Amino acid sequence: MVKIGPIELSDFPLLLAPMEDVSDPPFRAVCKDNGADMMYTEFISSEGLIRDAMKSRQKLDIFDYERPIGIQIFGGDEEAMALSAQIVDAVNPDLLDINFGCPVKKVVTKGAGAAVLKDIDLMVRLTAACVRSTRLPVTVKTRLGWDTDSINISEVAERLQDTGIKALSIHGRTRSQLYKGNADWTHIARVKENPRIKIPIFGNGDIDSPEKALEYKNRYGIDGIMIGRAAIGYPWIFNEVKHFMATGEHLPPPDVGQRVEVIRKHLHKSIEWKGLVPGINEMRRHYNNYLKGLPNIKEFRLKLVTLRSVEEIDEVLDQINTAYTGFTFERRKIDMDSMAYSCG
């Protein structure tokens, strides 16, 4: 059993990575249904929380059925991070996670996310400020380093553990790589093999199939895996990985009925949480990923992204279910490059 403070997880937990504009409550709901052991909110600006910015506050929404759930924050100012940790504490998630890995320019130029990798002393101060300011277990998600010439994850892991964090998730790329090239898990393995490291170490980056998940588990010895892009439009990845690890066999790909059921739940959760119009509009970017692999789906997809009433969308989903009943999906390699998102 893996423990993060008082949180007890399975022997090898699968975590849903926090993804900006993706891992909101509707998406998290369908991932939880399909085997995600622990999940995180989209990352939240510490400055936004302090300013009481509406978008930042909305990202604090969590629900009991999601537990265990972590709220992730980012920032580059000690006082702002400490105050944000107190705000998060009041919402009562299961843990507080700090993002030191986001590589996108709009975050890095503010001295937050992966920018902090250039100043380990600052990273330690920011983390310690959060640990002191909350009763929650504090965890961190980060990258290997700023670039290939400054990979410092071994030092980072030791020093962050010393601040009192309860787990560390490592994306196997540097900031300069963004999401290009291959994630290098050998550095993650070195952290895990370090006898000084006592906290759980989770690996992240390029997990796109049950085979790779099992291979990386065995090769790198990590305590669990964090899955991000591979779950976009395919929340079944979590149960597929678990089944393959337990049996060595593949679950059949979800049929059209299962896909329509998940789309429908995602849609209705989106409307319930965001409101009718934004819920319908924001769901439009998900249909293509859910329906990938269906032949001649363009006409149906066009209707889904243009209709404005939930009743009409439900009717089109029924039509898709009927039209493709009996269609057999092939097991597909997930196109990770097409699943890019803002941060993680």
Side-chain angles (χ1 to χ4, degrees):
M1 179 181 296
V2 173
K3 295 189 70 175
I4 302 176
I7 303 168
E8 296 183 348
L9 300 172
S10 62
D11 287 341
F12 192 80
L14 303 180
L15 286 55
L16 172 65
M19 295 179 282
E20 174 70 356
D21 293 329
V22 176
S23 51
D24 57 12
F27 179 73
R28 297 198 303 263
V30 297
C31 288
K32 187 70 173 182
D33 285 347
N34 287 279
D37 292 307
M38 191 167 75
M39 306 185 295
Y40 302 82
T41 62
E42 302 169 78
F43 76 158
I44 305 172
S45 164
S46 57
E47 300 287 350
L49 278 182
I50 294 170
R51 291 196 311 269
D52 203 24
M54 184 178 297
K55 185 175 182 181
S56 295
R57 287 283 177 166
Q58 188 182 32
K59 290 180 181 179
L60 290 173
D61 288 351
I62 57 173
F63 302 90
D64 282 340
Y65 63 79
E66 299 182 287
R67 296 186 185 278
I69 179 82
I71 290 177
Q72 188 186 73
I73 62 173
F74 73 96
D77 178 81
E78 289 177 59
E79 184 178 1
M81 291 290 278
L83 289 172
S84 294
Q86 294 171 15
I87 294 170
V88 169
D89 196 291
V91 178
N92 196 33
D94 297 285
L95 62 85
L96 168 69
D97 190 69
I98 305 172
N99 182 304
F100 289 137
C102 182
V104 301
K105 186 175 180 180
K106 67 178 182 180
V107 173
V108 170
T109 54
K110 295 178 180 178
V116 185
L117 286 163
K118 294 190 290 186
D119 188 344
I120 301 179
D121 290 340
L122 174 61
M123 182 186 290
V124 169
R125 293 197 303 272
L126 293 171
T127 305
C130 290
V131 171
R132 290 193 302 268
S133 301
T134 180
R135 60 180 174 78
L136 298 167
V138 175
T139 62
V140 167
K141 183 171 189 283
T142 190
R143 289 187 169 226
L144 302 179
W146 180 257
D147 56 29
T148 54
D149 295 325
S150 58
I151 292 176
N152 52 14
I153 190 61
S154 294
E155 179 185 354
V156 164
E158 289 189 5
R159 294 187 64 182
L160 292 185
Q161 178 178 261
D162 290 345
T163 70
I165 69 167
K166 302 302 182 184
L168 178 64
S169 299
I170 305 170
H171 183 121
R173 288 182 174 87
T174 63
R175 185 274 168 178
S176 62
Q177 282 183 271
L178 300 178
Y179 296 98
K180 299 174 183 178
N182 296 319
D184 185 351
W185 285 53
T186 60
H187 296 286
I188 304 175
R190 289 192 190 100
V191 172
K192 178 58 189 173
E193 293 164 1
N194 182 346
R196 272 209 64 207
I197 297 298
K198 307 301 181 184
I199 59 176
I201 302 297
F202 302 115
N204 175 229
D206 294 351
I207 297 298
D208 58 5
S209 68
E211 295 95 331
K212 186 176 282 187
L214 180 59
E215 176 191 351
Y216 281 29
K217 172 182 184 289
N218 292 335
R219 183 188 297 180
Y220 300 113
I222 31 72
D223 295 292
I225 284 175
M226 181 176 278
I227 296 175
R229 288 176 289 170
I232 299 175
Y234 205 82
W236 303 277
I237 185 72
F238 298 99
N239 277 336
E240 288 185 358
V241 168
K242 289 180 176 180
H243 185 81
F244 187 78
M245 285 185 172
T247 68
E249 298 177 353
H250 288 284
L251 286 173
D255 61 26
V256 69
Q258 292 169 303
R259 292 170 193 247
V260 166
E261 180 184 358
V262 167
I263 291 172
R264 205 186 302 275
K265 177 166 185 175
H266 194 162
L267 169 65
H268 285 261
K269 285 284 186 183
S270 183
I271 293 169
E272 178 184 317
W273 184 58
K274 299 173 182 174
L276 181 62
V277 174
I280 287 176
N281 290 345
E282 292 185 29
M283 185 64 193
R284 290 171 177 170
R285 58 198 165 116
H286 293 285
Y287 294 124
N288 184 56
N289 291 323
Y290 277 125
L291 299 173
K292 193 168 290 184
L294 287 173
N296 306 313
I297 194 64
K298 185 176 180 180
E299 182 179 343
F300 286 117
R301 193 172 64 238
L302 182 61
K303 291 180 180 178
L304 291 173
V305 299
T306 54
L307 292 174
R308 299 184 178 183
S309 81
V310 67
E311 293 80 12
E312 290 175 313
I313 295 171
D314 275 331
E315 184 177 340
V316 172
L317 292 174
D318 288 337
Q319 292 170 4
I320 292 172
N321 196 15
T322 299
Y324 292 95
T325 294
F327 177 82
T328 301
F329 286 85
E330 294 183 1
R331 288 189 58 248
R332 62 182 176 90
K333 182 175 175 62
I334 298 169
D335 182 3
M336 299 287 272
D337 290 338
S338 71
M339 302 296 185
Y341 57 89
S342 297
C343 234

